Amino acid sequence: MPFAEEFGPGFADVIEPAVERAGLACVRADQEPQGYVHEQMFERIFDAPVVIADISGANPNVFYELGVAHRAGRKTVTVAREDFMDQVPFDIAQYRILVYPKPPVTGGDATAYRSRVGEAVEALASEVSRVTAGGPGIANPVQDFLASRSPIESTESLFLPGFDSGDEEEMLRRAGADLAHVSLTGAGLMPLLAGHIESGERTSPLRLRLLLLDPDDRAAWAAVYRLREGRLVTEEELDEFLAEDRAAQKRTERALKHLGSTHSASFSCECTYYTGVPLFWAYLIDGERLIVGHLATHRMGARNLPVSVLVADDPRTAALYAYYASAIDTLTDDDGERAHELFRPSAT
């Protein structure tokens, strides 16, 4: 907020009491111990559970800091004194702004002011409590824009709350020539892949590298089922579960062979088993983009859990991209030897 004297009542009468009513300490930059102001400012924006921006007076420093909070995805609440609402810039005018009253001039109605202040404190405290309890922050234009971007088109890495079948269908449509998929059985991909290839919409051949968990690696599957069931499984259960998943793998293999034989001009596949406990599921698209999700108790390979979309050219996540790309390559190797292949239909 601007630290000019005229904005002091807004802080003392509304913002600070509201934050404290919500159970938090209210920290303002000019009240910090002496230090490097930029470092303190950024530290508070990135570490605080909620950021309140008072845009009264259209202070450029305030808007810069609000922009930082928006881009960083911090939970933000924007407030303004009532007489400045006609100065709200176009960029954020359509987004919710909590309004607080202007103090009365000398001799004004102090009782009415105190009543309106109480209402403003209540509204702000409720909003702060809501977002710190896990609710979403008030929407902002930066995050709305990022949320609208396709994870398959974005030029920078994204961290998404989930990855549904619509996202997977778009991924298949936009994949250029090469797609790698790490999976337990491949069952989730196959209906989408078959529909995509058989639709005839693909204009360039697609090469799929599919990595499935080796059915002979009983220790790895036991770990998978322990995660899924939330307990150790018996040998009898292991055999039963493994028979089901092996059958799913066989269905995947048959479907791939069918696609490879009937659509050899547009599709080829290299399918291999990997060993070891799987830690993630992933798509690697044209060596440029990685979509990575993780396995979870009771929801193996769940797409409704957070996923990372890592872009090779994004310097912020280049090391993470390299890690997962290397891990995928490693899954197909065993002491330098290629894991045994199921088949490799060739495109003509």
Side-chain angles (χ1 to χ4, degrees):
M1 66 175 296
F3 303 139
E5 185 177 348
E6 69 168 306
F7 299 109
F11 178 77
D13 296 345
V14 178
I15 298 174
E16 187 172 36
V19 171
E20 291 176 351
R21 181 176 297 186
L24 300 176
C26 188
V27 179
R28 199 172 79 171
D30 65 328
Q31 298 176 339
E32 293 270 53
Q34 187 174 1
Y36 183 50
V37 64
H38 286 89
E39 181 178 348
Q40 290 174 336
M41 178 265 290
F42 284 123
E43 180 179 353
R44 292 301 182 184
I45 288 176
F46 280 86
D47 292 348
V50 62
V51 176
I52 299 175
D54 186 346
I55 61 172
S56 305
N59 182 286
N61 288 327
V62 170
F63 275 100
Y64 174 80
E65 293 160 16
L66 178 60
V68 170
H70 283 176
R71 179 62 183 89
R74 308 307 300 158
K75 293 184 176 181
T76 60
V77 177
T78 306
V79 303
R81 203 171 74 188
E82 58 188 352
D83 54 321
F84 287 104
M85 285 300 292
D86 61 351
Q87 300 180 16
V88 175
F90 168 80
D91 287 334
I92 63 170
Q94 63 178 310
Y95 293 87
R96 186 179 177 204
I97 299 172
L98 300 183
V99 181
Y100 65 85
K102 180 181 179 181
V105 297
T106 303
D109 190 344
T111 300
Y113 172 69
R114 285 194 296 273
S115 175
R116 295 182 64 209
V117 161
E119 295 172 356
V121 169
E122 183 64 32
L124 181 56
S126 176
E127 190 69 31
V128 171
S129 297
R130 183 181 68 83
V131 299
T132 55
I138 294 177
N140 70 70
V142 177
Q143 294 305 310
D144 279 355
F145 167 72
L146 292 177
S148 71
R149 302 186 79 180
S150 162
I152 311 303
E153 289 185 313
S154 174
T155 57
E156 62 181 35
S157 296
L158 301 174
F159 300 94
L160 307 177
F163 192 72
D164 59 25
S165 59
D167 295 322
E168 289 185 276
E169 288 174 353
E170 181 185 8
M171 173 198 69
L172 290 171
R173 288 193 301 269
R174 296 188 180 278
D178 185 78
L179 178 67
H181 181 39
V182 179
S183 176
L184 296 176
T185 67
L189 171 64
M190 287 316 302
L192 300 176
L193 178 65
H196 172 68
I197 298 299
E198 291 175 350
S199 70
E201 64 179 304
R202 171 153 289 276
T203 58
S204 60
L206 177 67
R207 172 179 174 265
L208 172 67
R209 289 186 295 141
L210 182 62
L211 293 84
L212 305 179
L213 180 58
D214 193 329
D216 294 333
D217 191 344
R218 292 177 63 86
W221 281 102
V224 167
Y225 299 139
R226 180 174 184 176
L227 183 62
R228 187 184 72 185
E229 301 297 319
R231 59 175 174 80
L232 287 170
V233 298
T234 65
E235 286 297 313
E236 292 77 10
E237 289 175 319
L238 177 59
D239 290 335
E240 178 186 349
F241 296 152
L242 192 50
E244 295 174 357
D245 282 318
R246 181 55 181 145
Q249 288 181 337
K250 287 294 187 183
R251 289 192 294 271
T252 294
E253 295 166 21
R254 287 195 296 270
L256 289 173
K257 288 179 180 178
H258 174 75
L259 288 176
S261 62
T262 59
H263 299 275
S264 58
S266 58
F267 178 73
S268 63
C269 178
E270 174 186 305
C271 188
T272 63
Y273 290 135
Y274 66 90
T275 59
V277 179
L279 301 178
F280 59 87
W281 59 266
Y283 287 109
L284 175 59
I285 309 168
D286 295 320
E288 299 174 349
R289 186 180 308 268
L290 262 167
I291 301 171
V292 180
H294 295 84
L295 309 182
T297 304
H298 306 307
R299 292 181 292 177
M300 303 309 299
R303 300 300 197 268
N304 59 335
L305 296 175
V307 300
S308 302
V309 181
L310 307 174
V311 179
D313 292 336
D314 187 344
R316 300 174 307 147
T317 53
L320 193 58
Y321 176 94
Y323 166 79
Y324 280 109
S326 175
I328 291 173
D329 287 341
T330 300
L331 288 177
T332 61
D333 294 328
D334 182 13
D335 296 329
E337 296 295 329
R338 187 79 172 170
H340 61 281
E341 294 184 347
L342 301 176
F343 55 88
R344 184 189 294 182
S346 299
T348 57

